[in-house]
Amino acid sequence: MLSMLVLAEVTGQVPEASANAFTKITDTFGLSLPGILAQIFSFAVVAFVLWKFAFKPVLATLDERQSKIAEGLRYAEETKARLAAVQQETAETLKKAQIEAATIIEQARKASKELAERETTAATERANGLITKAQQAIELEKQKMLNEARTEISRLVIATTQRVLAKELNDADRSRFNEAAARELASV
Amino acid sequence: MSRAKILTLLLSLPITGLPAFAAETGHGLSPKAEALFHVGPLPITNSILTSWIVAALLVIAVRLFVGRPQLVPTRGQAVVENLLHGMRDLTAPIVGNKVAKYAFPLLITLFTFILIQNWSGLVPGVGTIFVKNSEGEMVELARPGNADLNGTAALAICAITCWFYFIMRYAGPRAVLKDIFGNKAQKSEMPAAVYYPLFLVFFVIGIIELVSIVFRPISLSFRLFGNVFGGENLLHAMSAISRWGLPVPFYFLEFIIGFVQALVFTLLVSVYIGLICNHGDGEHHDAH
């Protein structure tokens, strides 16, 4: 149709067979090459201006926003994954720390038990030593006391004998009485 | 009834009344646009004048809506963004990912231009105000751009020219010829005695396809023109019958038809591009 319009516009002639139908259409609907060209020009200008100064910048903004959203989502996913990893790491560290703490407590308990046992044994030994020493000291004191008592008793025996007999005993008598008193006291 | 609905009805009545005042009672709209004046050899018809004014208003409106695009959009920018996003999601699967980016400027501008031209018939005064032209005849001052076959033919020629560019640029002449005339049967799935005669069958089908391709701009232009012109006539007729109230439902009808026709035109152009360019990766690999 356009070619026929161009032909008609340029040469003023169209093929005879389709001339009538074509003329009828163009006359009825007012088709003309200048009219079509004017409308093509209008559309082309509007399309260019709309695309260049309105739609293209908006689309660029849309794409930028979409990339930012995608970036944000990716970052959120990464953060989520990092958080999960950190949480897992924390849980593992906590678990490890708990195990270590339990081990340390066990070791401490064991060490304290050993120390207590050792100290008890040492204390017992020390106490036994003290008791032994005390017993020895008591025994020594007792012997000393007994010796002193024997000496005093011997002196008293000699003094008593001298008064009873009313005579001064010589050294041999004193020695004999002393020995007799010592012999008698030794059995006490 | 909500306040918005009441307001719409109140506004609709005087709007529909305007054409009723000016319409030629009982006289349908002329199928051809009338020249208002001439600029050199170019007759400036009422449809050309209307399409220029409407197109200028469209550009200004979109620029005002968009302003300087920002990452956090304003309300106007969001409207335009939704339009762009919706159209891109609608047309991209049809034309194919390979061509979608390049065909989108054509498709979105075709859609918005046709939509606004279709709806221009609903504006008070368009098709209803008469003036004397340079030859002294009383003609309509404004007429919807798509109610003139010159306008729809121009759009169809633009669309088909771009379609031809896209298929040659992104599919190539060989693929185009193969798509139209090639044997689409699978050689491995049938005996040679059946396969080779199919070349002739598909060649004849290709010739039929070629005829249909030649008629595409004609069907595109006449479909759009017919719908918009028919709608204008309907509004005139309804206004002639009753000046008040009766045209209201038809204004809503034309509002929907204007949108649907813009969408149909755009989707058909998308389909025409997609038929040649959108074969999918699987088929492309199979062909090799």
Side-chain angles (χ1 to χ4, degrees):
Chain A
M1 188 182 285
L2 182 68
S3 60
M4 291 181 79
L5 269 175
V6 173
L7 196 64
E9 196 70 29
V10 174
T11 63
Q13 290 179 336
V14 289
E16 189 66 32
S18 54
N20 287 338
F22 177 69
T23 311
K24 198 176 174 186
I25 290 171
T26 53
D27 284 350
T28 307
F29 295 107
L31 266 180
S32 69
L33 190 62
I36 291 176
L37 290 177
Q39 295 285 41
I40 289 175
F41 177 75
S42 299
F43 172 70
V45 169
V46 172
F48 174 78
V49 172
L50 268 182
W51 178 252
K52 185 79 180 170
F53 299 107
F55 293 154
K56 199 176 174 185
V58 171
L59 272 179
T61 313
L62 258 178
D63 291 340
E64 190 185 345
R65 188 186 306 137
Q66 274 180 343
S67 68
K68 276 197 183 298
I69 290 169
E71 196 180 316
L73 286 174
R74 198 169 53 247
Y75 180 73
E77 283 295 320
E78 282 175 7
T79 309
K80 200 175 165 187
R82 264 207 307 271
L83 183 67
V86 167
Q87 277 177 339
Q88 194 180 351
E89 198 178 329
T90 308
E92 282 174 6
T93 310
L94 201 65
K95 198 175 173 185
K96 201 175 166 185
Q98 279 175 341
I99 292 167
E100 278 179 12
T103 311
I104 289 167
I105 289 167
E106 189 60 32
Q107 283 175 350
R109 195 173 287 156
K110 199 175 169 184
S112 68
K113 194 178 174 186
E114 283 174 2
L115 184 67
E117 282 175 359
R118 208 163 48 240
E119 288 299 318
T120 309
T121 310
T124 308
E125 283 173 1
R126 269 201 306 277
N128 287 338
L130 287 173
I131 290 167
T132 309
K133 279 179 184 173
Q135 282 176 342
Q136 286 173 351
I138 290 166
E139 191 62 31
L140 283 173
E141 197 65 29
K142 184 183 167 187
Q143 289 301 323
K144 191 182 171 186
M145 221 166 62
L146 281 173
N147 288 338
E148 283 174 0
R150 280 190 198 108
T151 307
E152 188 62 23
I153 288 168
S154 297
R155 191 185 61 79
L156 287 173
V157 166
I158 291 168
T160 308
T161 306
Q162 280 177 342
R163 292 229 180 131
V164 169
L165 295 177
K167 101 174 190 185
E168 192 70 27
L169 296 176
N170 60 18
D171 290 338
D173 291 334
R174 280 183 187 163
S175 175
R176 194 163 35 91
F177 280 120
N178 270 340
E179 283 172 7
R183 202 168 38 249
E184 287 299 321
L185 287 172
S187 59
V188 177
Chain B
M1 192 181 287
S2 72
R3 193 178 294 174
K5 284 179 183 171
I6 294 168
L7 193 65
T8 309
L9 274 177
L10 285 173
L11 284 173
S12 301
L13 288 172
I15 286 170
T16 53
L18 277 173
F21 277 125
E24 286 179 297
T25 310
H27 191 273
L29 190 66
S30 165
K32 61 181 174 185
E34 285 101 355
L36 294 171
F37 54 91
H38 287 74
V39 176
L42 177 68
I44 305 299
T45 62
N46 43 17
S47 68
I48 289 178
L49 184 70
T50 310
S51 66
W52 283 353
I53 293 169
V54 170
L57 288 176
L58 171 68
V59 171
I60 291 167
V62 173
R63 281 294 300 159
L64 285 176
F65 265 51
V66 172
R68 185 185 289 273
Q70 293 162 349
L71 273 180
V72 179
T74 58
R75 199 173 291 181
Q77 187 187 330
V79 171
V80 178
E81 277 184 8
N82 281 326
L83 170 73
L84 290 173
H85 210 271
M87 280 305 289
R88 192 162 64 175
D89 287 350
L90 189 66
T91 56
I94 300 172
V95 297
N97 291 330
K98 195 171 142 188
V99 198
K101 185 184 168 188
Y102 307 103
F104 187 66
L106 169 75
L107 299 173
I108 186 65
T109 48
L110 267 178
F111 177 76
T112 43
F113 188 83
I114 294 170
L115 182 71
I116 206 74
Q117 295 294 348
N118 288 353
W119 282 350
S120 69
L122 306 177
V123 176
V126 175
T128 56
I129 296 173
F130 289 80
V131 292
K132 271 188 181 176
N133 65 5
S134 54
E135 291 159 7
E137 297 166 338
M138 287 298 284
V139 294
E140 295 159 352
L141 177 62
R143 176 189 173 110
N146 289 339
D148 176 9
L149 194 58
N150 289 303
T152 57
L155 291 170
I157 289 164
C158 286
I160 292 300
T161 308
C162 292
W163 165 82
F164 186 73
Y165 168 76
F166 287 134
I167 63 166
M168 287 300 162
R169 173 77 174 76
Y170 297 106
R174 194 177 164 185
V176 172
L177 286 173
K178 194 180 171 188
D179 197 87
I180 296 173
F181 295 107
N183 189 346
K184 279 93 178 174
Q186 290 292 323
K187 195 178 179 183
S188 57
E189 290 175 359
M190 58 185 65
V194 177
Y195 179 72
Y196 288 107
L198 282 176
F199 274 102
L200 183 65
V201 173
F202 277 109
F203 182 76
V204 175
I205 291 171
I207 292 172
I208 298 168
E209 174 75 9
L210 207 58
V211 172
S212 82
I213 289 171
V214 169
F215 273 89
R216 276 175 189 171
I218 297 168
S219 68
L220 279 175
S221 54
F222 269 92
R223 182 186 302 106
L224 184 58
F225 167 73
N227 275 286
V228 179
F229 176 67
E232 275 295 296
N233 265 315
L234 180 69
L235 293 180
H236 279 237
M238 290 304 117
S239 298
I241 293 169
S242 173
R243 292 179 174 183
W244 300 96
L246 183 62
V248 172
F250 297 96
Y251 267 75
F252 287 115
L253 178 71
E254 284 311 305
F255 183 82
I256 295 167
I257 288 176
F259 174 77
V260 171
Q261 285 307 314
L263 199 62
V264 165
F265 194 101
T266 311
L267 289 182
L268 278 173
V269 176
S270 308
V271 169
Y272 295 153
I273 296 169
L275 279 174
I276 304 286
C277 298
N278 187 14
H279 284 302
D281 291 338
E283 194 174 327
H284 186 69
H285 290 307
D286 290 345
H288 292 287

